[in-house]
Amino acid sequence: MASKEPLQDGEWLDRMYNNRALVPAHEQHFARWRTASARAREHWECVLDIPYGDTPGQKLDVFPAPRSRAQTLVFIHGGYWRSLDKSDHSFVAPVFQDAGACVIVPNYDLCPAVTIPEITLQMVRALAWSWKNAPTYGGDPRNITVIGHSAGGHLASMMLCCDWQRADPDLPGDVVVKGMSISGLHDLEPVANTPFLRDSLRLTPQDALRASPAFLPAPSAATLYAIAGADESPEFLRQNTLIRDAWGPTVVEACEELPGLNHFSVLEALATPGHALHAMAFELLSR
């Protein structure tokens, strides 16, 4: 279990965690994501807006595998739990679908309408749906890999900590044992105290602690890859190494800072054939 960092002042926290301010070209990244995602939904087979829960945000998109019993990839989007949408991230799916995987992209309700612990439980439901329904779309429920970016990296890490049979007695205990956290947030205490996020996230000290993967027991028999762009803020680099320090190298087998990548371009690298991050994701899927 990791030790806590001393709290910094609000100006410093805003500077460390406001990625849109740190990357002035962020709107160009978002525009590319939207254009590529619209193209993906138009030209690749997909089934959209499947409910996995009762609220409007609890829907997911499936890009079916071209053959049965394929690896199943669940991709969880970021946006500080308060913005962005699965439709902005369809662009992640085609390169993995073309290689034979079933790709599932869930949405979730956003803060401040819900809390981060509630979003975490929504992702538990999305993964439970994926385990039960993956075979319908060519996926293998015994080979699920969860990958998330930023807030999605936090949620991917949390899925490795889930007590699945407590969540649903019909599930096995090992629904998810492989995950990748890209620019993930593993210690929510500084996030809870960051001024530009504070009012929308409404994180209590208790919720920040119980929803911080770095302060939860290391999952047994699980593998996590923790990746960040080397051009990210010092806090995001700390968040990346923190989960390895907390869970140890037996669980966090890869912990890397990829050169030349910022908080947004690192996600694009995931979907870029030939990039090291793309290769790492395929290696994890194939285990």
Side-chain angles (χ1 to χ4, degrees):
M1 188 172 293
S3 60
K4 295 181 181 179
E5 288 285 302
L7 288 179
Q8 302 286 343
D9 65 52
E11 182 181 352
W12 184 89
L13 288 166
D14 273 349
R15 192 163 65 250
M16 290 295 104
Y17 284 100
N18 192 338
N19 287 299
R20 297 189 187 195
L22 289 166
V23 183
H26 63 270
E27 281 295 347
Q28 296 174 30
H29 290 285
F30 291 159
R32 284 198 295 271
W33 297 2
R34 289 191 293 267
T35 299
S37 292
R39 187 183 308 118
R41 294 190 298 275
E42 181 178 358
H43 294 292
W44 276 263
E45 182 184 0
C46 55
V47 184
L48 305 177
D49 293 324
I50 304 171
Y52 68 85
D54 297 332
T55 61
Q58 294 184 75
K59 293 183 173 69
L60 51 79
D61 298 340
V62 180
F63 291 76
R67 58 180 182 274
S68 63
R69 308 300 288 184
Q71 301 103 325
T72 302
L73 167 60
V74 178
F75 176 80
I76 306 175
H77 76 79
Y80 272 132
W81 308 274
R82 65 178 193 166
S83 67
L84 301 181
D85 188 87
K86 62 180 172 59
S87 65
D88 300 314
H89 295 81
S90 305
F91 76 93
V92 171
V95 69
F96 292 99
Q97 186 186 39
D98 285 348
C102 171
V103 184
I104 300 172
V105 186
N107 247 7
Y108 45 86
D109 293 306
L110 300 174
C111 298
V114 293
T115 66
I116 292 173
E118 287 172 326
I119 292 171
T120 303
L121 291 176
Q122 289 185 5
M123 287 300 94
V124 168
R125 287 193 283 276
L127 267 296
W129 184 97
S130 300
W131 188 88
K132 293 175 181 178
N133 293 279
T136 302
Y137 302 96
D140 184 354
R142 305 301 301 181
N143 190 359
I144 294 176
T145 303
V146 60
I147 298 177
H149 173 241
S150 196
H154 159 265
L155 294 166
S157 301
M158 290 293 287
M159 293 307 98
L160 297 182
C161 301
C162 183
D163 183 344
W164 292 102
Q165 291 184 313
R166 181 178 177 185
D168 185 338
D170 294 333
L171 297 173
D174 58 349
V175 170
V176 179
V177 296
K178 300 183 295 179
M180 176 181 282
S181 177
I182 303 171
S183 304
L185 294 149
H186 307 116
D187 169 12
L188 299 194
E189 186 174 23
V191 177
N193 290 283
T194 298
F196 88 97
L197 296 170
R198 191 163 46 212
D199 290 345
S200 55
L201 299 186
R202 298 181 296 118
L203 262 172
T204 66
Q206 294 78 17
D207 281 352
L209 183 61
R210 69 184 178 128
S212 290
F215 301 118
L216 297 177
S220 59
T223 298
L224 179 71
Y225 288 4
I227 310 297
D231 293 347
E232 301 202 53
S233 74
E235 265 296 274
F236 269 87
L237 299 182
R238 181 188 72 83
Q239 292 269 1
N240 192 57
T241 58
L242 178 67
I243 194 66
R244 180 197 57 195
D245 295 342
W247 287 1
T250 301
V251 175
V252 185
E253 295 184 15
C255 183
E256 296 191 21
E257 300 170 6
L258 300 181
L261 298 178
N262 63 44
H263 188 75
F264 303 105
S265 60
V266 69
L267 178 57
E268 295 163 4
L270 175 69
T272 303
H275 196 282
L277 180 55
H278 182 73
M280 291 173 68
F282 261 108
E283 191 275 331
L284 189 61
L285 257 70
S286 301
R287 293 174 68 129

